[in-house]
Amino acid sequence: MLGGLANPDGPGLVCSGAPCSYGDLIAAAFGDELAGAAEANFSMIWGEAVAAYEATLIPDQTPLDRYLAGNTGALTAQQQRGLDRFTGKGNCTKCHAGALLSDATVGFYQASGSVNRDGGDQGFHNLGVRPTAEDLGRAGPGPAGIAYSVSGSAFDRGAFKTPGLRNVKLTAPYFHNGGKATLADVVAFYARGGDFANPERARDLQPRSLDAGDQAALVEFLTGGLTDCRVEQQRAPFDHPALPLPGRSADLPATGAAGLGSCP
């Protein structure tokens, strides 16, 4: 992010043609008052800067994105079948909704309200992954012993946030406890309607008539259709650039715009 500000003639930074400091950059981003107390507020400044940078990392170049933009060949026939089951009898879009494929988003909250269909906090659901008493999740005690649950609904007991599914191929194991090793395990879990019949289990979670072919197609859609190749190949802006360090392992190269492989 600082590459464009680096002084080409020596150390330091250049802003608008003149030397500048981190303090100058902090003042431009946060104002003079905070810049004057930058050291005392370092953790906040650092955290907000990292959050602002991460907000620019949007994995929106998946086969699904190209398909929805009109390229009907972007998804294979198997992936299109998976998409049909995902939006159809799989009932996946009840929770994995919108462009981010999650109901735990600001946009979904604004459109659908603060409570979900069961009356619990929007974006959080008990799926019967484990017995409720094992981990209260959203209803568990937070700071000062106050529960994170806003609604106070019993359905927040054992409820966990709906994750987005972009690049889900790369984020195993799955569920809040890492209890499922593969996406095939996850799809089979949903097909049978969960593993534990918790009283607080989301009502939308019901056994689905997904045969072996349907389940295989769903897995192919999740793995192939939702992966941004720039992320998988560690291409910019999803690379991991680094300065060479003495004694650095040759197995951990710094990568750049070309990444570690090619994208279609």
Side-chain angles (χ1 to χ4, degrees), residues 24-224:
D24 295 326
L25 295 175
I26 292 170
F30 296 98
D32 292 333
E33 182 177 354
L34 188 57
E39 292 186 15
N41 293 282
F42 173 78
S43 60
M44 183 189 73
I45 293 169
W46 175 261
E48 291 194 11
V50 170
Y53 167 66
E54 290 185 346
T56 69
L57 302 178
I58 303 174
D60 58 356
Q61 295 183 23
T62 70
L64 176 64
D65 291 302
R66 296 196 295 273
Y67 180 83
L68 294 177
N71 180 359
T72 57
L75 294 177
T76 67
Q78 179 79 329
Q79 290 166 355
Q80 290 184 44
R81 177 180 176 182
L83 173 60
D84 176 77
R85 303 307 187 268
F86 186 87
T87 58
K89 65 181 181 179
N91 213 33
C92 308
T93 52
K94 284 287 187 179
C95 297
H96 293 288
L100 297 179
L101 299 173
S102 171
D103 57 4
T105 65
V106 172
F108 194 90
Y109 179 98
Q110 292 173 334
S112 304
S114 62
V115 297
N116 59 36
R117 288 174 294 279
D118 293 316
D121 288 358
Q122 191 67 268
F124 293 81
H125 309 277
N126 183 318
L127 300 179
V129 174
R130 296 295 302 167
T132 295
E134 194 171 282
D135 191 332
L136 293 180
R138 183 68 171 171
I146 300 173
Y148 290 104
S149 172
V150 176
S151 67
S153 168
F155 282 93
D156 282 345
R157 291 172 48 83
F160 291 85
K161 184 178 180 180
T162 306
L165 296 182
R166 290 176 178 272
N167 299 307
V168 69
K169 168 187 175 181
L170 310 175
T171 59
Y174 302 101
F175 292 124
H176 68 274
N177 64 342
K180 302 301 179 188
T182 69
L183 285 171
D185 295 333
V186 171
V187 170
F189 166 89
Y190 282 114
R192 61 179 176 266
D195 288 345
F196 294 89
N198 298 326
E200 306 87 354
R201 190 173 64 181
R203 297 188 183 101
D204 285 329
L205 193 75
Q206 301 291 334
R208 303 293 169 187
S209 57
L210 300 171
D211 60 28
D214 291 333
Q215 293 187 41
L218 270 168
V219 171
E220 177 58 28
F221 169 68
L222 293 170
T223 56

Side-chain angles (χ1 to χ4, degrees), residues 16 31 84 120 126 164 233 263:
S16 301
D84 176 77
N126 183 318
Q233 298 294 343
C263 291

Side-chain angles (χ1 to χ4, degrees), residues 2 4-21 25:
L2 292 172
L5 301 174
N7 182 358
D9 300 320
L13 305 174
V14 173
C15 308
S16 301
C20 63
S21 66
L25 295 175

